[in-house]
Amino acid sequence: MNESRRGFVKKAALVSAVATVGVVGVHASSSKSTNGVVKGKSPKKEMTYTKTQAWEDYYKSAM
C-alpha cells in the first residue's frame, strides 16, 4: 500500500515539475508586451516624458 502511494507521489511530482518547466519556457519565449514592458530584440523607442500643461503645472508646484 505504501509503495503504491510513494509511486504515485513520485509520478505526480515529476509531472508537475515537467509542466512547470514547460509553462516557464513558453512564457519566457513569448515576445508579448506585459505591464508596459516590451520584450524583443529590436531597438525600441522609449518615450517617458512628453511636455504637457499638466506636467508644467506639476513641476511649478513642486518647486
Side-chain angles (χ1 to χ4, degrees):
M1 183 78 168
N2 285 339
E3 292 299 321
S4 65
R5 286 184 186 173
R6 285 184 184 162
F8 173 76
V9 171
K10 285 181 182 180
K11 288 179 186 177
L14 180 64
V15 168
S16 65
V18 169
T20 301
V21 168
V23 168
V24 169
V26 168
H27 182 66
S29 67
S30 68
S31 61
K32 293 183 179 179
S33 173
T34 57
N35 293 332
V37 177
V38 179
K39 296 181 180 178
K41 295 184 180 180
S42 63
K44 307 295 187 283
K45 181 180 178 184
E46 183 176 341
M47 182 180 287
T48 56
Y49 172 77
T50 54
K51 192 170 187 177
T52 61
Q53 186 61 40
W55 277 113
E56 291 296 322
D57 295 340
Y58 172 76
Y59 286 128
K60 286 179 184 176
S61 68
M63 292 183 142

